[in-house]
Amino acid sequence: MAKEDYYQVLGVKRDAKPEEIKKAYRRLARKFHPDVNPGDKSAEERFKKITEAHDVLSDAKKRGVYDRFGQYSDNLADAAARGATGGAGSGGRGPAGFDFEGFDWGSASGAGSSSSSGGSSFRDIFADLFGGGAKEQEREPPKAQAKRGADIEMPLALSFEEAITGMTTNITVNRSEQCSRCNGAGDTGGPVVVCPTCKGSGQVQRAGGRLRFSQECPDCTGTGRRRQPCSLCKGSGVTPKTETVKLRIPAGVDTGSRVRIVGKGEGGRLGAPPGDLFILTNVGKHKYFTRKGDNIYVTVPVTVSEAALGAKIEVPTVEGKAQLRIPPGTQSGQKFRLRERGAPSLRNASLRGDQFVEVKIMLPNVISEETKELLKRFAQLNPENPRVVMGLE
């Protein structure tokens, strides 16, 4: 059965621009998505066709192959890139699945002509145009290339104090190193065999929600053939390694900071360097300090007399105690700055943030009749109504 026209599936013209194709796909995908139509098999099948059509028509190279041959496959794309497209082999099979079974190849070359008399049959024509299928299957698998190792990310929990002062510690890292037997090639140069991962198809299945997709086999890069994998690394080119790494956390890190340790990631292949190790810090909360950037914030209680008359009080900082002068008439919620008493800067170790101290006036407890009389006397001597001053009454 002929495949559906991808342009008709998306409802666009054959000369549609990429923007029109994308717009049509989004509109149809929203309408027929399985999550929007739970249990609707027809909608699910329609969504698969829409996705397949968009995958081809949204890619300029794939679309070119589709427009040329009326369908798309990786083999067609590879062959088109070489100026050919796969073999018209025995049994009447044409390029990329075109069925010529029952066609008289010998008589179709023209009246009175044959391949032996200098003419060429349709089989020869297709063989010239589309190449030999047997040779395509027997081509050598690609040689492994030098490749830098992947980076590794690891989380690390720190206390508030450790983040401010910095720390040095040892951590255990499960990483890999280049295989000592094959030097990262993944094989030892033996005979070419059918790829055990894809069973020679060159494709592997991947699940995406309710849908399944075919992708190029990562072990044979889509050829379906590879050399016998190295017995030590099983073809990966690297072997596992557990290593203790000395880690220095600089002063001033915060939640989300990334500390890099060069060369302690996954191993490289064929002499390429290993990746790096990145430590992602997660800083715990403090019982009374809060941090915003490099600045530190703290709330300190003061008495009514300290706020009214002024005083010198002792306040905590991330480096110990400090003296703070409270001026007479200080109001609750008023903030004072202690310069360069905040967190160290990661960008410049010679710089620090500031600490902001917010004062909170605490009312005294009325513990005796004498205290009560003093407060009444204070109210008589200071009849000012703050609500009137603020225009609330």
Side-chain angles (χ1 to χ4, degrees):
M1 182 180 294
K3 295 178 71 69
E4 288 195 53
D5 188 321
Y6 286 158
Y7 292 99
Q8 292 182 2
V9 170
L10 295 181
V12 297
K13 298 180 180 179
R14 300 191 70 84
D15 59 351
K17 296 180 179 179
E19 296 79 10
E20 296 174 316
I21 292 174
K22 181 186 292 186
K23 184 177 180 180
Y25 167 72
R26 289 180 175 177
R27 175 176 55 81
L28 293 172
R30 284 194 296 266
K31 182 178 180 181
F32 293 100
H33 197 282
D35 291 343
V36 181
N37 303 275
D40 189 337
K41 293 296 183 182
S42 62
E44 183 174 335
E45 289 299 319
R46 183 69 184 277
F47 181 75
K48 290 180 181 179
K49 294 178 181 179
I50 292 167
T51 303
E52 180 182 343
H54 176 261
D55 179 64
V56 172
L57 299 185
S58 62
D59 186 296
K61 292 183 179 179
K62 292 182 179 180
R63 184 178 180 182
V65 173
Y66 178 79
D67 288 344
R68 181 178 177 184
F69 299 109
Q71 67 177 38
Y72 175 82
S73 71
D74 291 337
N75 289 335
L76 273 175
D78 292 341
R82 295 191 302 269
T85 55
S90 61
R93 298 299 298 181
F98 288 105
D99 191 355
F100 295 97
E101 190 70 43
F103 190 86
D104 188 350
W105 293 95
S107 62
S109 59
S113 66
S114 66
S115 58
S116 62
S117 61
S120 61
S121 68
F122 277 143
R123 183 187 299 279
D124 297 329
I125 293 173
F126 273 104
D128 291 338
L129 288 176
F130 297 104
K135 293 180 181 179
E136 181 71 19
Q137 294 177 357
E138 294 174 0
R139 71 179 188 270
E140 286 287 309
K143 294 183 179 180
Q145 301 293 323
K147 183 179 180 182
R148 177 184 179 274
D151 295 330
I152 297 176
E153 289 188 349
M154 289 184 60
L156 180 66
L158 302 173
S159 68
F160 190 92
E161 292 82 3
E162 289 172 335
I164 296 297
T165 61
M167 63 176 293
T168 300
T169 186
N170 292 326
I171 60 173
T172 300
V173 181
N174 294 320
R175 50 185 299 267
S176 62
E177 61 181 0
Q178 180 175 281
C179 178
S180 59
R181 179 168 297 175
C182 67
N183 295 321
D187 61 69
T188 53
V192 176
V193 297
V194 174
C195 175
T197 304
C198 64
K199 305 296 188 292
S201 68
Q203 301 286 314
V204 292
Q205 296 291 322
R206 293 286 185 267
R210 301 180 183 179
L211 306 179
R212 297 183 65 84
F213 302 93
S214 294
Q215 294 181 346
E216 181 182 90
C217 176
D219 291 337
C220 66
T221 63
T223 64
R225 299 170 67 80
R226 64 174 298 179
R227 290 181 176 83
Q228 189 69 32
C230 169
S231 59
L232 181 60
C233 66
K234 310 303 181 186
S236 67
V238 293
T239 52
K241 179 180 181 181
T242 299
E243 183 176 353
T244 299
V245 177
K246 187 175 183 179
L247 174 64
R248 189 185 73 83
I249 301 295
V253 296
D254 201 355
T255 295
S257 296
R258 287 163 58 92
V259 180
R260 179 187 181 192
I261 299 93
V262 178
K264 294 303 180 181
E266 303 290 2
R269 299 186 62 174
L270 293 174
D276 298 330
L277 172 64
F278 288 90
I279 302 298
L280 277 63
T281 57
N282 183 20
V283 180
K285 294 183 178 181
H286 196 274
K287 59 182 178 181
Y288 44 78
F289 289 128
T290 57
R291 178 176 176 179
K292 296 179 182 178
D294 292 337
N295 294 328
I296 303 294
Y297 296 80
V298 64
T299 299
V300 175
V302 296
T303 65
V304 172
S305 58
E306 287 174 333
L309 303 176
K312 282 187 177 181
I313 63 173
E314 193 176 70
V315 297
T317 73
V318 293
E319 293 185 317
K321 301 294 184 179
Q323 293 290 321
L324 176 66
R325 179 181 174 275
I326 302 295
T330 295
Q331 300 295 320
S332 189
Q334 194 168 338
K335 292 183 176 67
F336 299 92
R337 174 186 291 185
L338 295 175
R339 295 187 180 277
E340 297 185 353
R341 291 296 187 118
S345 172
L346 282 177
R347 297 182 179 86
N348 189 338
S350 63
L351 299 178
R352 298 183 71 99
D354 300 328
Q355 177 168 316
F356 292 86
V357 180
E358 179 180 348
V359 297
K360 182 178 181 181
I361 299 176
M362 305 298 291
L363 296 177
N365 292 323
V366 180
I367 58 177
S368 66
E369 288 297 324
E370 183 180 1
T371 302
K372 185 183 296 185
E373 290 299 323
L374 288 174
L375 288 174
K376 289 180 179 180
R377 178 63 177 162
F378 177 82
Q380 292 172 356
L381 295 174
N382 296 272
E384 183 180 53
N385 186 336
R387 295 178 294 281
V388 174
V389 173
M390 295 182 63
L392 301 177
E393 291 185 1

